[in-house]
Amino acid sequence: MSGPNTNDDPGQHIAAQAGAEPATTVSQISALDPEQVQARVDEALAAIAAASTTAELKSVRITHTGDHSALALANRQIGSIPAAQRKAAGKLVGAARGRVRQALQERIGEVAAAELEATLVAETVDVTLPVADHPQGAMHPLTALIDMVSDVFTAMGWEIAEGPECESEWFNFDALNLGTDHPARALQDTLWVDPVSDGKCLRTATSPVQIHTLLAHGAPVRIISPGKVFRADEYDATHLPVFHQVEGLCVDKGISMAHLKGTLDHFAQSIFGDVTTRFRPHYFPFTEPSAEVDVECFVCHGASVGDPAHPCRTCRSEGWIEWGGCGIVNPRVLAACGVDTEVYSGFAFGMGLDRTVMVRNNASDLREFVEGDIRFSRSLLGEAR
């Protein structure tokens, strides 16, 4: 086999070894010829300057800095030339390739900035054009009322307490002095979780939260516990199987009915305006004495009573609106939670939040509270404001 022709262009020979494009597409240069190297640099700089898009610059980069470019092939020649000439050749080709790469990077930055500016101009939004008004959502009236009630009591130094919605029978009934034969335990009233023998139910009131709090922190304590409760009630205009309550508990030394009356008067005035409350004797297993609490009609303030010419729709001309239950905490409840009944006493109260919203905002159907109609929420929030 004969050796290579010494008259051949070294760059062409190296390109052939590397599988580069033939000399018809890539001009071969000598790594030792400054004029040829400069000529390729000038070609590359001219192509870079002429490119006006990132796509054109990509093509220029491949042609003039890629593995098969003239300068890259010249760089490969350095290993085949005499050792005494390699340093000069390497310095010459390396400087040339560096100039081309630097010019290419600068041009890429310029073109990219120009393209971005053009895109921003093309996509500019005319803010003066009319647009469709997409309605925003609204806070649910119950959520708004819970926030308001929470603000009222936290301003007095009370705390907000929460608890599980699935409770054991002991927390939901036994600790609250409801005997094993109490009708509230029946299937027609309480939603029991299968299997019933496990004694788990969906809480029928937020009262178990008070038990959890007393067991965890003891006395003294001042809390309210707003939240969902569950009953086996019909789904109609005045009943829901899932509704909301807020219950309050205050346990400290020397607590009396007077403290309860003052607290509920302040609570009622914060929710309904300039009104007062009244107590009617009642019975609850967890309080003794117990009372039903009524709030003075915040619309007619009792003026419609006995006046058929000016009836009041809110209180049905009775002058009072039934609001909830309350009383002094039964010592048995405190004792079940480990509280010394010789030192501490307390009061508790509970109100239905759904009915409070109905009365306060003249809503006629409880089912509207769960149907998700944004118009209902907006109408009640508008009235509240």
Side-chain angles (χ1 to χ4, degrees):
M1 181 181 293
S2 61
N5 189 342
T6 56
N7 295 325
D8 291 343
D9 186 340
Q12 185 176 6
H13 175 66
I14 294 174
Q17 289 180 331
E21 297 180 11
T24 55
T25 57
V26 178
S27 300
Q28 305 300 327
I29 66 172
S30 172
L32 298 173
D33 191 338
E35 292 184 359
Q36 291 186 31
V37 173
Q38 184 60 44
R40 298 304 177 267
V41 171
D42 293 341
E43 288 178 6
L45 295 179
I48 291 171
S52 58
T53 65
T54 52
E56 292 177 357
L57 284 171
K58 180 179 179 181
S59 178
V60 170
R61 178 180 60 80
I62 294 173
T63 301
H64 294 281
T65 66
D67 291 340
H68 298 162
S69 65
L71 291 175
L73 294 176
N75 189 62
R76 294 179 190 176
Q77 296 177 25
I78 297 174
S80 63
I81 63 177
Q85 297 175 320
R86 290 177 187 174
K87 182 176 181 180
K91 184 176 181 180
L92 176 64
V93 176
R97 298 182 76 187
R99 288 179 57 194
V100 173
R101 289 196 184 98
Q102 182 178 357
L104 182 62
Q105 291 302 317
E106 292 176 354
R107 184 60 179 160
I108 288 175
E110 295 173 359
V111 172
E115 288 180 342
L116 176 60
E117 184 176 356
T119 300
L120 293 176
V121 172
E123 296 179 356
T124 299
V125 177
D126 186 353
V127 296
T128 65
L129 291 176
V131 296
D133 183 18
H134 296 286
Q136 295 180 344
M139 182 181 291
H140 195 280
L142 282 171
T143 304
L145 182 61
I146 290 174
D147 289 347
M148 180 184 296
V149 172
S150 299
D151 289 343
V152 170
F153 281 93
T154 54
M156 295 192 295
W158 290 44
E159 297 182 0
I160 312 299
E162 296 180 343
E165 294 178 354
C166 182
E167 282 287 6
S168 69
E169 186 175 9
W170 189 86
F171 279 99
N172 199 77
F173 296 115
D174 295 337
L176 294 168
N177 198 36
L178 277 77
T180 55
D181 58 347
H182 196 282
R185 295 177 183 246
L187 290 174
Q188 62 265 30
D189 292 318
T190 301
L191 297 172
W192 293 93
V193 178
D194 284 336
V196 177
S197 58
D198 285 352
K200 299 286 187 179
C201 65
L202 298 180
R203 66 185 184 189
T204 57
T206 57
S207 304
V209 178
Q210 302 174 7
I211 304 301
H212 283 288
T213 303
L214 284 174
L215 288 173
H217 304 289
V221 64
R222 289 175 175 80
I223 61 162
I224 61 166
S225 52
K228 291 180 182 177
V229 297
F230 308 84
R231 304 273 180 87
D233 287 343
E234 296 291 334
Y235 177 69
D236 56 34
T238 57
H239 298 86
L240 292 176
V242 182
F243 53 102
H244 299 76
Q245 284 185 344
V246 59
E247 298 197 22
L249 173 69
C250 174
V251 177
D252 207 336
K253 298 177 180 178
I255 297 298
S256 67
M257 289 287 283
H259 297 104
L260 172 60
K261 183 65 164 64
T263 300
L264 291 183
D265 277 345
H266 176 71
F267 182 18
Q269 289 165 9
S270 301
I271 300 298
F272 300 107
D274 185 17
V275 296
T276 187
T277 62
R278 73 174 183 183
F279 290 169
R280 291 181 288 107
H282 198 72
Y283 168 75
F284 297 112
F286 33 83
T287 53
E288 179 60 37
S290 304
E292 290 276 7
V293 56
D294 298 335
V295 62
E296 181 185 23
C297 179
F298 54 91
V299 175
C300 72
H301 294 277
S304 65
V305 178
D307 185 1
H310 301 90
C312 178
R313 174 184 172 186
T314 302
C315 68
R316 298 191 177 101
S317 297
E318 295 178 0
W320 297 90
I321 301 168
E322 184 178 336
W323 194 22
C326 63
I328 297 298
V329 179
N330 194 310
R332 291 185 178 183
V333 175
L334 295 179
C337 298
V339 177
D340 188 348
T341 57
E342 297 296 326
V343 178
Y344 293 101
S345 59
F347 65 76
F349 59 86
M351 286 80 186
L353 291 172
D354 309 70
R355 294 184 183 277
T356 300
V357 173
M358 287 188 73
V359 171
R360 185 169 177 266
N361 300 92
N362 289 318
S364 59
D365 195 328
L366 270 177
R367 290 171 292 192
E368 293 180 322
F369 283 68
V370 297
E371 290 177 351
D373 191 334
I374 193 68
R375 296 170 296 181
F376 170 75
S377 296
R378 283 181 171 175
S379 65
L380 292 199
L381 290 175
E383 290 177 10
R385 288 193 294 268

